[in-house]
Amino acid sequence: MDDAERKMQFLFKLRSHGVTDKRVLEAMERIDRRAFVRGLFADRAYDDTPLPITCGQTISQPSVVGLMTQALNVQPRDKVLEVGTGSGYQAAVLSLLARRVYTVDRHRRLVSEAQEVFAALGLTNITALTADGSRGLPDQAPFDRILVTAAAEDPPGPLLAELRTGGIMVVPVGQSDAVQRLIKVTRTETGYDYDELRPVRFVPLVEGLGQD
Ligand code: SAH
């Protein structure tokens, strides 16, 4: 199979997993996942599977990236926070849909590698920072949308507080090595609405900064 065929398959897989939003599909067609997968696994970049990246972390499964992005319902003027930069792939997809994306990771090395890829792809509306995202990003709050790409035991309080009224947060919730539930939280005038979307499996949200 050549690259063009692999990319066709990639989009087909997304659709067959329920990613139907046209803007999300277009963004995922434009952002080449291969740019975010280094070394040994690069030739599996278009498979619908999570893959290992630096620092013992993983780049998420493309269909899960698609479904989470779709659930987030990002609007063109939105300011978005992603917790868990990892490879930077999810942030890059979000950057085509939003006005500005802030993405944070507890591993400095992942942040700097992701920054290199953003620059190479000419994605200028992403700010990547090394930070413990479970505490939110007070300097930039509030956010229209928040996407957490690591599993928390509960939706972190500081992130709920940084969500604008009418804003949406998507977060995997559950015990770290079990299957988690993907939850969509909508902030209303009076509180928060919770919708359960689907089972997922993510690496855990860990407090504090990483060693590298
Ligand atoms: N969205 C990524 C995949 C995320 S993997 C992608 O598109 O490739 C989950 C990431 O969450 C890991 O890189 C891990 O380092 C990060 N992480 C875990 N706990 C965190 C925390 N408290 N603050 C910021 N990042 C965290």
Side-chain angles (χ1 to χ4, degrees), residues 120-164:
L121 298 183
L123 303 172
T124 55
N125 63 338
I126 307 175
T127 305
L129 302 163
T130 308
D132 176 357
S134 65
R135 294 158 176 262
L137 194 60
D139 287 354
Q140 299 301 335
F143 296 96
D144 302 291
R145 300 290 186 263
I146 300 177
L147 181 56
V148 186
T149 62
E153 296 211 355
D154 293 298
L159 293 178
L160 288 171
E162 291 183 1
L163 201 55
R164 199 190 291 282

mmCIF file of all heavy atoms in Angstrom, residues 120-164:
data_model
loop_
_atom_site.group_PDB
_atom_site.id
_atom_site.type_symbol
_atom_site.label_atom_id
_atom_site.label_comp_id
_atom_site.label_asym_id
_atom_site.label_seq_id
_atom_site.Cartn_x
_atom_site.Cartn_y
_atom_site.Cartn_z
ATOM 1 N N ALA A 120 7.501 23.400 12.193
ATOM 2 C CA ALA A 120 7.754 22.816 10.871
ATOM 3 C C ALA A 120 6.484 22.817 10.018
ATOM 4 O O ALA A 120 6.547 22.968 8.794
ATOM 5 C CB ALA A 120 8.305 21.402 11.021
ATOM 6 N N LEU A 121 5.331 22.639 10.659
ATOM 7 C CA LEU A 121 4.064 22.590 9.917
ATOM 8 C C LEU A 121 3.451 23.984 9.755
ATOM 9 O O LEU A 121 2.376 24.129 9.168
ATOM 10 C CB LEU A 121 3.062 21.670 10.619
ATOM 11 C CG LEU A 121 3.439 20.182 10.754
ATOM 12 C CD1 LEU A 121 2.302 19.396 11.419
ATOM 13 C CD2 LEU A 121 3.764 19.566 9.394
ATOM 14 N N GLY A 122 4.110 25.003 10.329
ATOM 15 C CA GLY A 122 3.603 26.372 10.203
ATOM 16 C C GLY A 122 2.330 26.616 11.000
ATOM 17 O O GLY A 122 1.510 27.465 10.625
ATOM 18 N N LEU A 123 2.164 25.900 12.111
ATOM 19 C CA LEU A 123 0.980 26.092 12.967
ATOM 20 C C LEU A 123 1.335 27.140 14.016
ATOM 21 O O LEU A 123 2.084 26.866 14.955
ATOM 22 C CB LEU A 123 0.581 24.772 13.629
ATOM 23 C CG LEU A 123 0.289 23.628 12.655
ATOM 24 C CD1 LEU A 123 0.083 22.319 13.402
ATOM 25 C CD2 LEU A 123 -0.941 23.949 11.797
ATOM 26 N N THR A 124 0.823 28.346 13.825
ATOM 27 C CA THR A 124 1.289 29.469 14.644
ATOM 28 C C THR A 124 0.324 29.852 15.767
ATOM 29 O O THR A 124 0.621 30.758 16.543
ATOM 30 C CB THR A 124 1.517 30.702 13.751
ATOM 31 O OG1 THR A 124 0.304 30.957 13.040
ATOM 32 C CG2 THR A 124 2.641 30.459 12.751
ATOM 33 N N ASN A 125 -0.814 29.191 15.849
ATOM 34 C CA ASN A 125 -1.779 29.567 16.901
ATOM 35 C C ASN A 125 -1.795 28.583 18.064
ATOM 36 O O ASN A 125 -2.796 28.449 18.769
ATOM 37 C CB ASN A 125 -3.184 29.722 16.307
ATOM 38 C CG ASN A 125 -3.732 28.426 15.734
ATOM 39 O OD1 ASN A 125 -2.967 27.515 15.400
ATOM 40 N ND2 ASN A 125 -5.053 28.325 15.629
ATOM 41 N N ILE A 126 -0.672 27.879 18.252
ATOM 42 C CA ILE A 126 -0.566 26.943 19.380
ATOM 43 C C ILE A 126 0.513 27.441 20.334
ATOM 44 O O ILE A 126 1.620 27.750 19.909
ATOM 45 C CB ILE A 126 -0.163 25.528 18.920
ATOM 46 C CG1 ILE A 126 -1.087 25.026 17.817
ATOM 47 C CG2 ILE A 126 -0.165 24.565 20.110
ATOM 48 C CD1 ILE A 126 -0.667 23.668 17.233
ATOM 49 N N THR A 127 0.173 27.518 21.607
ATOM 50 C CA THR A 127 1.166 27.804 22.636
ATOM 51 C C THR A 127 1.332 26.555 23.485
ATOM 52 O O THR A 127 0.380 26.113 24.116
ATOM 53 C CB THR A 127 0.701 28.979 23.535
ATOM 54 O OG1 THR A 127 0.412 30.103 22.695
ATOM 55 C CG2 THR A 127 1.772 29.354 24.536
ATOM 56 N N ALA A 128 2.537 25.971 23.449
ATOM 57 C CA ALA A 128 2.790 24.747 24.215
ATOM 58 C C ALA A 128 3.666 25.092 25.419
ATOM 59 O O ALA A 128 4.676 25.787 25.295
ATOM 60 C CB ALA A 128 3.482 23.716 23.325
ATOM 61 N N LEU A 129 3.256 24.616 26.585
ATOM 62 C CA LEU A 129 3.938 24.973 27.830
ATOM 63 C C LEU A 129 4.166 23.738 28.694
ATOM 64 O O LEU A 129 3.335 22.818 28.686
ATOM 65 C CB LEU A 129 3.063 25.947 28.638
ATOM 66 C CG LEU A 129 2.659 27.255 27.965
ATOM 67 C CD1 LEU A 129 1.498 27.886 28.716
ATOM 68 C CD2 LEU A 129 3.855 28.193 27.936
ATOM 69 N N THR A 130 5.267 23.744 29.448
ATOM 70 C CA THR A 130 5.475 22.690 30.438
ATOM 71 C C THR A 130 4.762 23.109 31.718
ATOM 72 O O THR A 130 5.076 24.159 32.290
ATOM 73 C CB THR A 130 6.980 22.509 30.730
ATOM 74 O OG1 THR A 130 7.657 22.332 29.485
ATOM 75 C CG2 THR A 130 7.222 21.298 31.620
ATOM 76 N N ALA A 131 3.800 22.329 32.129
ATOM 77 C CA ALA A 131 3.022 22.672 33.328
ATOM 78 C C ALA A 131 2.224 21.465 33.781
ATOM 79 O O ALA A 131 1.979 20.543 33.000
ATOM 80 C CB ALA A 131 2.069 23.834 33.028
ATOM 81 N N ASP A 132 1.843 21.491 35.057
ATOM 82 C CA ASP A 132 0.927 20.482 35.584
ATOM 83 C C ASP A 132 -0.498 20.937 35.260
ATOM 84 O O ASP A 132 -1.049 21.805 35.913
ATOM 85 C CB ASP A 132 1.123 20.344 37.095
ATOM 86 C CG ASP A 132 0.124 19.379 37.716
ATOM 87 O OD1 ASP A 132 -0.765 18.862 36.992
ATOM 88 O OD2 ASP A 132 0.225 19.141 38.937
ATOM 89 N N GLY A 133 -1.052 20.311 34.212
ATOM 90 C CA GLY A 133 -2.366 20.742 33.726
ATOM 91 C C GLY A 133 -3.506 20.423 34.671
ATOM 92 O O GLY A 133 -4.604 20.960 34.502
ATOM 93 N N SER A 134 -3.269 19.577 35.676
ATOM 94 C CA SER A 134 -4.365 19.289 36.611
ATOM 95 C C SER A 134 -4.684 20.534 37.441
ATOM 96 O O SER A 134 -5.727 20.620 38.065
ATOM 97 C CB SER A 134 -4.027 18.095 37.506
ATOM 98 O OG SER A 134 -2.936 18.397 38.334
ATOM 99 N N ARG A 135 -3.767 21.510 37.431
ATOM 100 C CA ARG A 135 -4.018 22.776 38.142
ATOM 101 C C ARG A 135 -4.594 23.848 37.226
ATOM 102 O O ARG A 135 -4.739 24.996 37.630
ATOM 103 C CB ARG A 135 -2.710 23.295 38.736
ATOM 104 C CG ARG A 135 -2.181 22.388 39.812
ATOM 105 C CD ARG A 135 -0.708 22.614 39.990
ATOM 106 N NE ARG A 135 -0.223 21.792 41.099
ATOM 107 C CZ ARG A 135 -0.059 22.262 42.336
ATOM 108 N NH1 ARG A 135 -0.279 23.520 42.627
ATOM 109 N NH2 ARG A 135 0.352 21.456 43.282
ATOM 110 N N GLY A 136 -4.812 23.472 35.965
ATOM 111 C CA GLY A 136 -5.342 24.446 35.010
ATOM 112 C C GLY A 136 -4.246 25.372 34.519
ATOM 113 O O GLY A 136 -3.049 25.107 34.697
ATOM 114 N N LEU A 137 -4.661 26.435 33.867
ATOM 115 C CA LEU A 137 -3.703 27.421 33.342
ATOM 116 C C LEU A 137 -4.275 28.804 33.651
ATOM 117 O O LEU A 137 -4.825 29.483 32.788
ATOM 118 C CB LEU A 137 -3.548 27.203 31.825
ATOM 119 C CG LEU A 137 -2.376 27.887 31.135
ATOM 120 C CD1 LEU A 137 -1.038 27.440 31.712
ATOM 121 C CD2 LEU A 137 -2.413 27.603 29.628
ATOM 122 N N PRO A 138 -4.161 29.209 34.951
ATOM 123 C CA PRO A 138 -4.864 30.404 35.441
ATOM 124 C C PRO A 138 -4.592 31.664 34.612
ATOM 125 O O PRO A 138 -5.497 32.465 34.410
ATOM 126 C CB PRO A 138 -4.350 30.574 36.873
ATOM 127 C CG PRO A 138 -3.784 29.243 37.246
ATOM 128 C CD PRO A 138 -3.364 28.554 35.982
ATOM 129 N N ASP A 139 -3.346 31.809 34.118
ATOM 130 C CA ASP A 139 -3.013 33.033 33.372
ATOM 131 C C ASP A 139 -3.865 33.224 32.125
ATOM 132 O O ASP A 139 -4.042 34.353 31.664
ATOM 133 C CB ASP A 139 -1.548 33.000 32.902
ATOM 134 C CG ASP A 139 -0.590 33.217 34.049
ATOM 135 O OD1 ASP A 139 -1.087 33.504 35.163
ATOM 136 O OD2 ASP A 139 0.619 33.090 33.824
ATOM 137 N N GLN A 140 -4.320 32.141 31.533
ATOM 138 C CA GLN A 140 -5.053 32.229 30.262
ATOM 139 C C GLN A 140 -6.548 31.970 30.406
ATOM 140 O O GLN A 140 -7.287 32.070 29.435
ATOM 141 C CB GLN A 140 -4.458 31.250 29.237
ATOM 142 C CG GLN A 140 -3.000 31.523 28.913
ATOM 143 C CD GLN A 140 -2.778 32.923 28.356
ATOM 144 O OE1 GLN A 140 -3.687 33.532 27.791
ATOM 145 N NE2 GLN A 140 -1.580 33.448 28.539
ATOM 146 N N ALA A 141 -6.986 31.566 31.597
ATOM 147 C CA ALA A 141 -8.395 31.232 31.804
ATOM 148 C C ALA A 141 -9.265 32.481 31.687
ATOM 149 O O ALA A 141 -8.762 33.588 31.891
ATOM 150 C CB ALA A 141 -8.559 30.580 33.175
ATOM 151 N N PRO A 142 -10.565 32.368 31.364
ATOM 152 C CA PRO A 142 -11.285 31.112 31.130
ATOM 153 C C PRO A 142 -11.132 30.605 29.694
ATOM 154 O O PRO A 142 -10.733 31.346 28.797
ATOM 155 C CB PRO A 142 -12.739 31.516 31.401
ATOM 156 C CG PRO A 142 -12.802 32.952 30.963
ATOM 157 C CD PRO A 142 -11.449 33.529 31.306
ATOM 158 N N PHE A 143 -11.501 29.338 29.499
ATOM 159 C CA PHE A 143 -11.439 28.704 28.188
ATOM 160 C C PHE A 143 -12.843 28.361 27.690
ATOM 161 O O PHE A 143 -13.725 28.032 28.470
ATOM 162 C CB PHE A 143 -10.601 27.419 28.266
ATOM 163 C CG PHE A 143 -9.173 27.702 28.615
ATOM 164 C CD1 PHE A 143 -8.745 27.605 29.934
ATOM 165 C CD2 PHE A 143 -8.265 28.109 27.651
ATOM 166 C CE1 PHE A 143 -7.431 27.898 30.275
ATOM 167 C CE2 PHE A 143 -6.950 28.402 27.980
ATOM 168 C CZ PHE A 143 -6.531 28.296 29.292
ATOM 169 N N ASP A 144 -13.004 28.413 26.363
ATOM 170 C CA ASP A 144 -14.276 27.996 25.752
ATOM 171 C C ASP A 144 -14.370 26.481 25.717
ATOM 172 O O ASP A 144 -15.472 25.920 25.798
ATOM 173 C CB ASP A 144 -14.367 28.526 24.315
ATOM 174 C CG ASP A 144 -14.241 30.041 24.277
ATOM 175 O OD1 ASP A 144 -15.177 30.712 24.758
ATOM 176 O OD2 ASP A 144 -13.203 30.547 23.809
ATOM 177 N N ARG A 145 -13.230 25.845 25.530
ATOM 178 C CA ARG A 145 -13.188 24.384 25.433
ATOM 179 C C ARG A 145 -11.952 23.876 26.160
ATOM 180 O O ARG A 145 -10.891 24.503 26.064
ATOM 181 C CB ARG A 145 -13.087 23.930 23.962
ATOM 182 C CG ARG A 145 -14.244 24.370 23.061
ATOM 183 C CD ARG A 145 -15.521 23.628 23.414
ATOM 184 N NE ARG A 145 -16.608 23.924 22.497
ATOM 185 C CZ ARG A 145 -17.560 24.832 22.719
ATOM 186 N NH1 ARG A 145 -17.554 25.581 23.817
ATOM 187 N NH2 ARG A 145 -18.533 25.001 21.834
ATOM 188 N N ILE A 146 -12.096 22.738 26.859
ATOM 189 C CA ILE A 146 -10.950 22.087 27.505
ATOM 190 C C ILE A 146 -10.982 20.607 27.145
ATOM 191 O O ILE A 146 -12.024 19.944 27.280
ATOM 192 C CB ILE A 146 -10.968 22.262 29.043
ATOM 193 C CG1 ILE A 146 -10.923 23.753 29.416
ATOM 194 C CG2 ILE A 146 -9.807 21.502 29.684
ATOM 195 C CD1 ILE A 146 -11.011 24.042 30.923
ATOM 196 N N LEU A 147 -9.850 20.108 26.667
ATOM 197 C CA LEU A 147 -9.736 18.689 26.326
ATOM 198 C C LEU A 147 -8.627 18.090 27.170
ATOM 199 O O LEU A 147 -7.488 18.560 27.130
ATOM 200 C CB LEU A 147 -9.420 18.533 24.838
ATOM 201 C CG LEU A 147 -9.301 17.110 24.312
ATOM 202 C CD1 LEU A 147 -10.557 16.295 24.598
ATOM 203 C CD2 LEU A 147 -9.031 17.122 22.820
ATOM 204 N N VAL A 148 -8.957 17.078 27.946
ATOM 205 C CA VAL A 148 -7.963 16.401 28.769
ATOM 206 C C VAL A 148 -7.665 15.065 28.097
ATOM 207 O O VAL A 148 -8.578 14.282 27.847
ATOM 208 C CB VAL A 148 -8.481 16.179 30.210
ATOM 209 C CG1 VAL A 148 -7.373 15.595 31.086
ATOM 210 C CG2 VAL A 148 -9.000 17.482 30.806
ATOM 211 N N THR A 149 -6.379 14.829 27.779
ATOM 212 C CA THR A 149 -6.047 13.599 27.059
ATOM 213 C C THR A 149 -5.246 12.639 27.949
ATOM 214 O O THR A 149 -4.430 11.870 27.470
ATOM 215 C CB THR A 149 -5.301 13.894 25.736
ATOM 216 O OG1 THR A 149 -4.077 14.549 26.023
ATOM 217 C CG2 THR A 149 -6.143 14.757 24.819
ATOM 218 N N ALA A 150 -5.489 12.722 29.257
ATOM 219 C CA ALA A 150 -4.976 11.743 30.211
ATOM 220 C C ALA A 150 -6.118 11.502 31.196
ATOM 221 O O ALA A 150 -6.963 12.376 31.386
ATOM 222 C CB ALA A 150 -3.739 12.286 30.926
ATOM 223 N N ALA A 151 -6.129 10.296 31.799
ATOM 224 C CA ALA A 151 -7.299 9.924 32.602
ATOM 225 C C ALA A 151 -7.202 10.444 34.030
ATOM 226 O O ALA A 151 -6.210 10.210 34.726
ATOM 227 C CB ALA A 151 -7.450 8.414 32.615
ATOM 228 N N ALA A 152 -8.246 11.116 34.476
ATOM 229 C CA ALA A 152 -8.332 11.626 35.842
ATOM 230 C C ALA A 152 -9.324 10.773 36.628
ATOM 231 O O ALA A 152 -10.215 10.164 36.042
ATOM 232 C CB ALA A 152 -8.801 13.075 35.815
ATOM 233 N N GLU A 153 -9.156 10.743 37.961
ATOM 234 C CA GLU A 153 -10.149 9.987 38.751
ATOM 235 C C GLU A 153 -11.479 10.718 38.757
ATOM 236 O O GLU A 153 -12.530 10.096 38.792
ATOM 237 C CB GLU A 153 -9.621 9.763 40.164
ATOM 238 C CG GLU A 153 -8.380 8.881 40.113
ATOM 239 C CD GLU A 153 -8.192 8.015 41.340
ATOM 240 O OE1 GLU A 153 -8.980 8.164 42.292
ATOM 241 O OE2 GLU A 153 -7.256 7.208 41.315
ATOM 242 N N ASP A 154 -11.395 12.038 38.750
ATOM 243 C CA ASP A 154 -12.588 12.898 38.624
ATOM 244 C C ASP A 154 -12.183 14.071 37.743
ATOM 245 O O ASP A 154 -11.008 14.382 37.669
ATOM 246 C CB ASP A 154 -12.989 13.467 39.987
ATOM 247 C CG ASP A 154 -13.485 12.390 40.924
ATOM 248 O OD1 ASP A 154 -14.493 11.758 40.591
ATOM 249 O OD2 ASP A 154 -12.830 12.185 41.962
ATOM 250 N N PRO A 155 -13.147 14.753 37.122
ATOM 251 C CA PRO A 155 -12.770 15.963 36.378
ATOM 252 C C PRO A 155 -12.100 16.944 37.344
ATOM 253 O O PRO A 155 -12.690 17.284 38.367
ATOM 254 C CB PRO A 155 -14.122 16.501 35.882
ATOM 255 C CG PRO A 155 -15.041 15.325 35.890
ATOM 256 C CD PRO A 155 -14.585 14.458 37.035
ATOM 257 N N PRO A 156 -10.839 17.355 37.079
ATOM 258 C CA PRO A 156 -10.124 18.217 38.034
ATOM 259 C C PRO A 156 -10.858 19.533 38.294
ATOM 260 O O PRO A 156 -11.250 20.237 37.364
ATOM 261 C CB PRO A 156 -8.779 18.459 37.334
ATOM 262 C CG PRO A 156 -8.617 17.298 36.407
ATOM 263 C CD PRO A 156 -10.011 16.979 35.932
ATOM 264 N N GLY A 157 -10.998 19.860 39.596
ATOM 265 C CA GLY A 157 -11.708 21.075 40.013
ATOM 266 C C GLY A 157 -11.190 22.340 39.352
ATOM 267 O O GLY A 157 -11.980 23.162 38.855
ATOM 268 N N PRO A 158 -9.855 22.559 39.307
ATOM 269 C CA PRO A 158 -9.347 23.796 38.693
ATOM 270 C C PRO A 158 -9.743 23.917 37.220
ATOM 271 O O PRO A 158 -9.965 25.018 36.724
ATOM 272 C CB PRO A 158 -7.819 23.653 38.823
ATOM 273 C CG PRO A 158 -7.615 22.696 39.959
ATOM 274 C CD PRO A 158 -8.777 21.752 39.923
ATOM 275 N N LEU A 159 -9.858 22.770 36.533
ATOM 276 C CA LEU A 159 -10.249 22.829 35.114
ATOM 277 C C LEU A 159 -11.729 23.169 34.987
ATOM 278 O O LEU A 159 -12.124 23.964 34.129
ATOM 279 C CB LEU A 159 -9.928 21.501 34.422
ATOM 280 C CG LEU A 159 -8.437 21.174 34.294
ATOM 281 C CD1 LEU A 159 -8.240 19.819 33.629
ATOM 282 C CD2 LEU A 159 -7.723 22.260 33.496
ATOM 283 N N LEU A 160 -12.551 22.581 35.842
ATOM 284 C CA LEU A 160 -13.984 22.937 35.827
ATOM 285 C C LEU A 160 -14.142 24.436 36.042
ATOM 286 O O LEU A 160 -14.931 25.099 35.366
ATOM 287 C CB LEU A 160 -14.726 22.177 36.927
ATOM 288 C CG LEU A 160 -14.917 20.675 36.705
ATOM 289 C CD1 LEU A 160 -15.466 20.009 37.973
ATOM 290 C CD2 LEU A 160 -15.855 20.412 35.526
ATOM 291 N N ALA A 161 -13.348 24.974 36.971
ATOM 292 C CA ALA A 161 -13.462 26.399 37.315
ATOM 293 C C ALA A 161 -13.016 27.295 36.157
ATOM 294 O O ALA A 161 -13.468 28.433 36.048
ATOM 295 C CB ALA A 161 -12.626 26.693 38.560
ATOM 296 N N GLU A 162 -12.129 26.785 35.297
ATOM 297 C CA GLU A 162 -11.600 27.604 34.191
ATOM 298 C C GLU A 162 -12.433 27.510 32.917
ATOM 299 O O GLU A 162 -12.057 28.056 31.878
ATOM 300 C CB GLU A 162 -10.141 27.219 33.907
ATOM 301 C CG GLU A 162 -9.219 27.635 35.034
ATOM 302 C CD GLU A 162 -7.752 27.349 34.767
ATOM 303 O OE1 GLU A 162 -7.426 26.831 33.680
ATOM 304 O OE2 GLU A 162 -6.945 27.652 35.655
ATOM 305 N N LEU A 163 -13.544 26.794 33.006
ATOM 306 C CA LEU A 163 -14.428 26.654 31.843
ATOM 307 C C LEU A 163 -15.407 27.825 31.831
ATOM 308 O O LEU A 163 -16.051 28.124 32.827
ATOM 309 C CB LEU A 163 -15.176 25.324 31.981
ATOM 310 C CG LEU A 163 -15.796 24.672 30.752
ATOM 311 C CD1 LEU A 163 -14.756 24.466 29.649
ATOM 312 C CD2 LEU A 163 -16.405 23.325 31.157
ATOM 313 N N ARG A 164 -15.505 28.484 30.693
ATOM 314 C CA ARG A 164 -16.448 29.595 30.531
ATOM 315 C C ARG A 164 -17.886 29.061 30.573
ATOM 316 O O ARG A 164 -18.126 27.912 30.218
ATOM 317 C CB ARG A 164 -16.183 30.238 29.171
ATOM 318 C CG ARG A 164 -16.710 31.624 29.003
ATOM 319 C CD ARG A 164 -16.600 32.075 27.557
ATOM 320 N NE ARG A 164 -15.233 32.299 27.082
ATOM 321 C CZ ARG A 164 -14.506 33.380 27.363
ATOM 322 N NH1 ARG A 164 -14.983 34.324 28.147
ATOM 323 N NH2 ARG A 164 -13.297 33.514 26.866
#
